[in-house]
Structure formats: structure tokens, C-alpha cells
Amino acid sequence: MSAVAKRGARRSAADDPDRPCPCGSGLPYADCCGPVHRGEGTAGTAEALMRSRFSAFAVGDAAYLLHSWHSSTRPARLRLDPGEQWTRLEIVDTDRGGLFDSTGTVEFRAHYREAGRPGTLHERSRFAREDGRWVYLDALPD
């Protein structure tokens, strides 16, 4: 999900915290990614950060996306595309990125709809710890 980021037009999970979290955990948004988005906690693993970032795209939280981006690769600003609705996240694989790691990679498929048509973004993202917390570094080339 590049510097010209895309998001869903709906903010349903953020508007109704009892709705399921967009990240697919099965937990309510209020108990899953919501507290991380509000700064009440941090993602403990690279995969948890990936899930929180997907949810931020789904609810349109550009401020969280920028905050969770590594300072060396963070864009100056982020424009979210209201024409895309992020619908589902699949975690394909993880490499490192655990509680005691300093780097990790998460391969995922993010499903969306745009103009009524389905689409999928497939990416292998790199994550690193910066100031003690997980942040998104960049996408690995295909």
C-alpha cells in the first residue's frame, strides 16, 4: 500500500466499535485494532502491526498509517482513496517479527472493491522496530 494509499469508503468499524475488526481477528474493533489506532497500545509483533495497518486503511485512519511508518521511508503526506473499500486481509506468511525480533517480513493479500469490482493487493512487507515499536519499512520487490 503505497504513499498514494487507498482505503474503503466506509468507516463502519470505527463508527461502531462492537463490529468485527477489519483485520480479520474475529474480535470487536474496540478490543483489537481500535486501541492501537487511538494510541492506547502498540502492536506487539510485525503481523499485529500489519493487521492494524490494514484496519487503518479500512477505516480511513491516515494519521495512524503515517505514525506506523518508518521515519526513513514515511511519505510527507498520505492521500487515501475514498473509492476503494478494503474488505478482507489474508496473512500468507511471516518471517521473524516476533516479540524478541528487531525485523520481520509479512506476506499478505489485501482484498478490496473499487467501482464495484474486486481486487487484490499481494505484497511482502518489511517491518522494523523504531524507538522500541514496530513500524512499516517498505515492500519487497516481486
Side-chain angles (χ1 to χ4, degrees):
M1 297 184 205
S2 67
V4 178
K6 305 196 177 195
R7 72 156 180 112
R10 293 188 303 186
R11 297 183 55 93
S12 59
D15 294 338
D16 180 1
D18 292 328
R19 293 193 71 154
C21 192
C23 81
S25 69
L27 295 171
Y29 176 75
D31 298 329
C32 191
C33 292
V36 177
H37 291 170
R38 292 188 304 272
E40 297 167 3
T42 60
T45 65
E47 180 179 331
L49 183 70
M50 178 61 241
R51 289 181 177 281
S52 73
R53 286 179 57 83
F54 175 84
S55 290
F57 276 98
V59 301
D61 191 341
Y64 176 77
L65 290 165
L66 287 170
H67 176 73
S68 62
W69 214 309
H70 195 276
S71 62
S72 70
T73 57
R74 180 186 309 127
R77 63 178 184 241
L78 190 63
R79 183 176 55 91
L80 299 176
D81 182 350
E84 282 195 349
Q85 177 186 11
W86 295 97
T87 58
R88 183 169 56 94
L89 176 66
E90 286 179 76
I91 301 297
V92 177
D93 190 31
T94 60
D95 181 28
R96 301 183 48 149
L99 295 173
F100 303 108
D101 294 318
S102 59
T103 62
T105 303
V106 179
E107 181 180 358
F108 67 91
R109 287 187 196 96
H111 300 271
Y112 63 91
R113 294 193 69 76
E114 183 173 31
R117 295 188 182 120
T120 303
L121 170 69
H122 180 224
E123 182 175 302
R124 288 179 44 229
S125 295
R126 290 191 313 159
F127 297 87
R129 287 193 189 266
E130 184 175 52
D131 298 327
R133 64 184 177 87
W134 284 107
V135 290
Y136 169 76
L137 185 58
D138 58 16
L140 291 169
D142 291 332

